Amino acid sequence: MVIIESTDEEEYDTSLLVIIVDTNIYSWGNRILQMSNKTESTSSTKLGSSLIGFNTFVEHLMVFINLHLMLNQENQIAVISSQIGEARFLFPEPHQSQSTKSEQKSIQNIILGKLLHLDTTIKETNQESTSSNFSAALSLSLCYINRIKKEVPIIRPRIFVLNISPDASSQYISVMNCIFSAQKQSIPLDTCILSQQDSTFLQQASHLTNGIYLKPQRQENLSQYLISTFLMDTYSRKLLQCPTLKSVDYRATCFCHKRIVDIGFVCSVCLSIFCSYSSSCSTCGTKFSLKIEIPKSRKSLSQPSSQEQPTNNKDKVEY
Amino acid sequence: MKIFQYLSSLNQEDLDQLYKDNWTCQAILRSLPPIGKQFILKLLMIDSIEFEQTKIWTQEISNQVHRETFKKLFDLKLLTKNKTCIQLNSIFQHNIKQSLMDMEHRVFSSDTTVKELKAPTIDELDQFSKTQWEKVLYLLSDEKSDSIPLISELLQSSNLTSRDGNGQLAITSEGFKFLLKDIYTQIWTLLIVYLDTIEKKYKSRIELLCFLFKLSFLQLGRGYLVSELTQLQKTLLTDLKQFGLIYIKSNDNPYFYPTRLIISLTTGKTLSLMQDIKTEQALSQKEQGYIILETNYRLYAYTSSSLQISLLSLFVKMLYRLPNLAVGIVTRESIRMALIHGITADQIIDFIRHNAHPNATLAGTPIPDVVAEQVKLWEAERNCVDYSKAVLYNSFPTLDCFNATVKYAKELNLFIYSNDSKKILVIDESGNEPIRNYIRKNFG
């Protein structure tokens, strides 16, 4: 057979989409409360964003998945749920490879079945922490992408996060590590925030990986947002206009108490961030010999110096 | 892609008819270029939008792509313009929306996918489609092979082969170009001709097109019941088998199997179905380079495929054939034979370059300069006569007049030929006016 490759590498839009769905039962439960409150207060705050419940959300998501698979014969999908304490694959199932999507009809059914199953398992586990394990979900998706990339080198991966829970600052380090690894492999990380608060983590994530960060104002039209923005493959993004973030919240979380800090201490050796002064770095073990007694004095030695006055916002962190 | 050109040539009614089929809509959506898909998506859920507003969809640097994509969508009648607003073809829009809500995705009803006892494996299917398609290509290059009536008819009506003086079928220049294209373009080229013949016979090319698109949604390695199909589709099935698009064991077998060719036909990608990409790449690499051409005009082809050898024999005089090697020599006669068939020197050189053995490419030039130049010279040899329109002047009154006119013509760079004893001057056609004026002014 005489085949002359005429593949325009550029026009290649086959993509692997890994969707991380936040299925935190508390957040979605809160959502129901918010929604019922809203109906009681009879649209006194009509300007606020309209909210949707989990069922409606899943419907929108299904349309989105359907359309993604329809766009290209070789498009692949993976859905990971980030829930309290753990992250799990909703699709594909562990021992089922993507290529045997023989029952494409049942992708939706598999996901729905798993989602139903989730609800009951969560009720049984009674954990203290109520935050979803987002970092685990992110690592899972990166591992999965890595695996698929080995099998199919030409596929273009991207991660799409649908988030509703607030940031868990305890996961800051692991999340940031994931973000940097995604950045290094140039995997865009898109985010759709369903709650009313912006997420610091995800803003940074989308910004660093050239992804799209969006907080839909009118959630009842969620599929329109999903279809018109988040279905853009990496090739089209170079040519089309994508929503961009005007300002990104770059605040970091301290390594000692996992608090989000505006101003803090930074280890001069390993750049760990601390909210309060200690005599040695808990990450790398460096001993800080200099004691800081006068808060106003500026000491630009190679030692961590303090900056207690909150008025000076220009240099958040000093060495 | 080839098929889009064809679809664009259809009229509104036919296209609307075509878009009534749900699977066709999906197939068309997924074979659009990426930007086209994105535009469709943006319009999918809305009724209409001002055309001006679509400008903000694309970044300014890619205006060109923006215009081209819109032109394509308009050509396919996927978009309609209403004064200043544009909207999606409503039938198409409706069908895509419908299929979004469809959770089942069944092309044919479920019981068609029952496993047959001796179902062919995927490898067997690949092998079948490959040999079948090679047979088709073989018909092009070798007139003596057993002909498949349908295919050779199609090849003729698509102008890829034609009868030469002796009534023998021979490859044309078009046919040679055809061989250089990728397999999906080749298949579509033939299918489009086939569609036209079907249109003449049954008036049902739209149904066939829908059927083709529908087939591309089937699963490789699965059997489907023939009895599910309409009568017309059944007849089409036997034709498609000859292309290697469909596999049926025998004509009365209840199951048919789609091959890789039909499944990836609408996407037009040689690299289909994920899991085999690596092996396929390895295969195609092996297949690609097999020719070593030496400066002494000897050509070694490391291949056992009789198709490739018969292709080469179009312009190479084959000397010996060994199990994995064929040796030939490029001669003036062999090249002239190819040239007479309408194959150009550039096509020959391109062919050798594209199919050069990796070692030949590594060593430097895949085709030695001396051979390439010689092939071009042999071509130029046939073109030694140059035609140009001219005007003849004769019966000049005096020798002076003749000489002066010749001199003037030479000055104006219009001179072609002159004969002093007969006083004949031939000049370029464009020079008729100035020369006539010159003669009239000075000697008239």
Side-chain angles (χ1 to χ4, degrees):
Chain A
M1 234 177 279
V2 189
I3 300 172
I4 288 167
E5 294 283 319
S6 63
T7 43
D8 300 313
E9 263 295 38
E10 278 301 296
E11 286 240 345
Y12 205 76
D13 70 334
T14 306
S15 31
L16 163 65
L17 179 65
V18 180
I19 306 180
I20 299 179
V21 186
D22 187 359
T23 54
N24 189 317
I25 196 164
Y26 292 104
S27 313
W28 284 107
N30 270 337
R31 171 56 57 87
I32 293 169
L33 280 181
Q34 285 171 353
M35 283 164 70
S36 55
N37 282 343
K38 201 148 254 180
T39 44
E40 277 167 27
S41 59
T42 49
S43 65
S44 56
T45 50
K46 256 219 156 168
L47 287 170
S49 58
S50 50
L51 303 172
I52 52 166
F54 192 63
N55 288 347
T56 340
F57 164 73
V58 172
E59 282 168 20
H60 287 297
L61 184 65
M62 289 302 157
V63 168
F64 178 69
I65 292 175
N66 238 339
L67 199 49
H68 172 72
L69 293 173
M70 198 196 287
L71 276 188
N72 191 318
Q73 204 168 7
E74 282 147 17
N75 271 356
Q76 298 197 25
I77 195 145
V79 186
I80 296 171
S81 104
S82 94
Q83 57 206 67
I84 298 170
E86 61 169 348
R88 248 189 217 194
F89 269 102
L90 297 179
F91 182 86
E93 284 171 313
H95 300 295
Q96 173 205 12
S97 74
Q98 185 76 244
S99 50
T100 60
K101 56 178 175 188
S102 45
E103 287 94 44
Q104 204 215 36
K105 58 180 169 83
S106 58
I107 286 186
Q108 275 83 3
N109 293 341
I110 292 174
I111 297 172
L112 285 179
K114 286 255 180 154
L115 281 176
L116 282 176
H117 188 62
L118 280 185
D119 278 357
T120 53
T121 49
I122 288 172
K123 270 167 208 153
E124 286 155 19
T125 54
N126 208 351
Q127 291 186 341
E128 292 193 3
S129 153
T130 56
S131 56
S132 346
N133 203 344
F134 174 65
S135 62
L138 204 51
S139 331
L140 261 188
S141 52
L142 285 171
C143 294
Y144 184 74
I145 287 174
N146 198 34
R147 203 183 88 199
I148 297 293
K149 266 253 163 194
K150 269 185 194 153
E151 288 169 21
V152 194
I154 38 170
I155 204 160
R156 306 217 166 141
R158 60 183 205 271
I159 300 175
F160 176 39
V161 185
L162 282 149
N163 198 48
I164 186 169
S165 316
D167 290 344
S169 46
S170 59
Q171 294 171 18
Y172 177 74
I173 301 168
S174 42
V175 169
M176 277 323 268
N177 284 342
C178 288
I179 293 173
F180 289 130
S181 117
Q183 185 189 23
K184 197 159 187 189
Q185 298 176 59
S186 54
I187 302 169
L189 211 151
D190 301 336
T191 315
C192 180
I193 300 286
L194 297 171
S195 62
Q196 271 137 324
Q197 293 88 37
D198 279 315
S199 156
T200 320
F201 288 3
L202 290 168
Q203 271 187 352
Q204 293 184 27
S206 299
H207 184 80
L208 288 172
T209 58
N210 281 328
I212 300 169
Y213 178 92
L214 197 69
K215 196 172 75 173
Q217 293 301 308
R218 299 157 59 104
Q219 289 183 5
E220 75 270 17
N221 299 338
L222 184 64
S223 10
Q224 177 65 16
Y225 287 102
L226 296 180
I227 290 171
S228 58
T229 315
F230 292 106
L231 266 184
M232 257 191 253
D233 53 280
T234 32
Y235 167 70
S236 311
R237 281 177 201 204
K238 285 183 212 148
L239 303 171
L240 299 181
Q241 298 275 15
C242 329
T244 45
L245 264 185
K246 289 212 176 63
S247 64
V248 180
D249 188 351
Y250 271 122
R251 281 181 305 172
T253 312
C254 73
F255 285 30
C256 46
H257 303 92
K258 318 291 180 201
R259 269 180 269 179
I260 293 180
V261 288
D262 285 322
I263 298 169
F265 298 86
V266 175
C267 168
S268 54
V269 177
C270 68
L271 301 182
S272 302
I273 304 160
F274 303 101
C275 61
S276 62
Y277 178 76
S278 62
S279 59
S280 68
C281 172
S282 62
T283 313
C284 65
T286 310
K287 291 237 174 357
F288 306 134
S289 57
L290 197 76
K291 286 242 157 81
I292 297 106
E293 276 145 29
I294 314 149
K296 291 241 168 186
S297 67
R298 284 185 156 216
K299 284 164 194 168
S300 38
L301 293 165
S302 63
Q303 302 288 344
S305 67
S306 81
Q307 241 192 312
E308 307 267 38
Q309 68 277 44
T311 43
N312 189 346
N313 261 332
K314 262 186 195 161
D315 310 297
K316 285 177 182 168
V317 180
E318 268 205 350
Y319 297 94
Chain B
M1 242 172 79
K2 193 91 192 160
I3 181 63
F4 283 135
Q5 287 169 17
Y6 181 72
L7 289 178
S8 308
S9 71
L10 295 179
N11 58 23
Q12 181 86 45
E13 270 171 45
D14 282 349
L15 279 173
D16 278 349
Q17 189 71 27
L18 194 63
Y19 294 149
K20 273 185 190 146
D21 183 72
N22 199 323
W23 297 104
T24 309
C25 292
Q26 291 187 41
I28 288 181
L29 177 67
R30 70 183 187 186
S31 38
L32 283 172
I35 303 291
K37 288 180 197 172
Q38 297 300 328
F39 287 169
I40 299 273
L41 291 183
K42 284 180 196 285
L43 288 166
L44 188 59
M45 296 292 177
I46 50 180
D47 292 332
S48 66
I49 185 168
E50 290 274 333
F51 190 54
E52 280 299 303
Q53 284 184 11
T54 61
K55 277 196 178 142
I56 58 167
W57 287 351
T58 36
Q59 291 176 16
E60 282 194 6
I61 42 159
S62 43
N63 260 338
Q64 179 76 13
V65 190
H66 181 86
R67 273 196 305 276
E68 278 167 14
T69 314
F70 265 110
K71 185 174 178 302
K72 194 163 205 174
L73 295 179
F74 279 121
D75 281 348
L76 288 171
K77 320 266 190 312
L78 285 177
L79 287 180
T80 47
K81 205 168 189 178
N82 190 356
K83 284 172 195 165
T84 58
C85 295
I86 52 163
Q87 64 186 82
L88 270 188
N89 182 313
S90 51
I91 309 168
F92 181 81
Q93 188 175 21
H94 176 79
N95 269 326
I96 293 289
K97 277 189 194 168
Q98 277 292 313
S99 40
L100 278 187
M101 287 179 283
D102 175 25
M103 303 277 265
E104 296 295 323
H105 291 293
R106 277 198 192 123
V107 187
F108 298 111
S109 64
S110 59
D111 56 338
T112 56
T113 56
V114 184
K115 279 270 170 193
E116 199 187 359
L117 269 178
K118 274 183 176 172
T121 64
I122 291 179
D123 284 342
E124 279 165 17
L125 286 175
D126 283 351
Q127 198 52 43
F128 168 78
S129 57
K130 208 180 146 195
T131 48
Q132 200 68 25
W133 188 249
E134 281 202 347
K135 260 189 216 164
V136 172
L137 295 183
Y138 202 61
L139 275 180
L140 263 180
S141 53
D142 187 8
E143 50 270 28
K144 284 180 285 296
S145 60
D146 311 329
S147 65
I148 313 167
L150 170 79
I151 303 286
S152 61
E153 203 177 286
L154 286 180
L155 290 176
Q156 268 191 73
S157 44
S158 55
N159 238 346
L160 297 174
T161 57
S162 64
R163 296 204 175 272
D164 59 11
N166 311 327
Q168 286 277 16
L169 276 177
I171 188 166
T172 62
S173 158
E174 282 301 308
F176 200 76
K177 273 186 220 155
F178 174 83
L179 287 173
L180 290 173
K181 296 206 173 106
D182 69 294
I183 182 163
Y184 292 101
T185 319
Q186 291 175 348
I187 296 178
W188 273 120
T189 312
L190 281 194
L191 274 179
I192 286 168
V193 182
Y194 176 63
L195 283 171
D196 287 338
T197 54
I198 286 288
E199 176 71 4
K200 275 182 211 136
K201 239 192 264 175
Y202 305 107
K203 290 262 164 226
S204 57
R205 63 176 170 195
I206 298 300
E207 194 181 339
L208 172 62
L209 263 178
C210 290
F211 184 53
L212 280 176
F213 285 132
K214 203 169 176 178
L215 287 176
S216 70
F217 283 91
L218 299 182
Q219 286 264 294
L220 189 63
R222 277 202 180 195
Y224 295 86
L225 273 179
V226 176
S227 54
E228 286 265 322
L229 306 176
T230 64
Q231 196 52 46
L232 180 72
Q233 286 171 339
K234 279 181 200 163
T235 48
L236 298 177
L237 217 52
T238 47
D239 288 346
L240 293 178
K241 186 186 172 185
Q242 302 190 12
F243 285 100
L245 297 175
I246 289 288
Y247 175 74
I248 319 174
K249 237 178 246 161
S250 61
N251 280 344
D252 48 354
N253 197 294
Y255 294 96
F256 69 92
Y257 298 85
T259 68
R260 200 183 292 279
L261 287 182
I262 184 100
I263 288 170
S264 33
L265 189 58
T266 51
T267 40
K269 302 241 165 67
T270 334
L271 317 162
S272 57
L273 307 175
M274 296 306 170
Q275 69 270 37
D276 291 300
I277 278 184
K278 267 187 212 156
T279 52
E280 210 170 294
Q281 271 177 341
L283 264 179
S284 67
Q285 256 169 19
K286 222 197 285 167
E287 270 173 12
Q288 269 199 355
Y290 59 95
I291 298 176
I292 292 180
L293 183 56
E294 290 185 343
T295 46
N296 59 3
Y297 297 89
R298 284 219 165 213
L299 187 143
Y300 303 89
Y302 286 89
T303 177
S304 50
S305 149
S306 43
L307 167 68
Q308 285 168 342
I309 291 170
S310 69
L311 263 181
L312 281 176
S313 61
L314 288 172
F315 58 88
V316 178
K317 188 182 169 204
M318 300 315 279
L319 298 177
Y320 340 107
R321 172 125 189 229
L322 306 172
N324 71 334
L325 173 72
V327 183
I329 186 157
V330 178
T331 64
R332 178 165 175 270
E333 273 318 300
S334 69
I335 295 288
R336 276 176 64 85
M337 274 314 287
L339 296 170
I340 288 167
H341 279 144
I343 302 167
T344 66
D346 283 333
Q347 282 173 347
I348 293 172
I349 294 168
D350 275 350
F351 180 83
I352 296 171
R353 188 166 290 146
H354 279 306
N355 291 292
H357 194 277
N359 288 353
T361 326
L362 273 181
T365 46
I367 171 164
D369 289 341
V370 60
V371 184
E373 283 304 317
Q374 187 60 64
V375 171
K376 281 188 183 156
L377 283 178
W378 281 328
E379 186 189 38
E381 216 172 65
R382 298 188 68 237
N383 304 331
C384 44
V385 181
D386 204 15
Y387 296 96
S388 68
K389 290 205 171 175
V391 185
L392 173 83
Y393 285 83
N394 60 1
S395 49
F396 283 91
T398 62
L399 197 64
D400 280 349
C401 168
F402 172 73
N403 284 339
T405 319
V406 169
K407 202 180 155 210
Y408 182 68
K410 276 181 181 166
E411 273 168 21
L412 290 182
N413 213 6
L414 298 165
F415 177 82
I416 293 173
Y417 171 80
S418 71
N419 187 321
D420 288 350
S421 58
K422 289 180 185 162
K423 286 195 279 187
I424 291 173
L425 170 67
V426 181
I427 57 155
D428 195 87
E429 195 190 28
S430 63
N432 193 10
E433 205 60 24
I435 294 291
R436 192 189 295 168
N437 286 341
Y438 175 80
I439 297 173
R440 196 171 294 152
K441 214 167 89 192
N442 295 309
F443 306 97

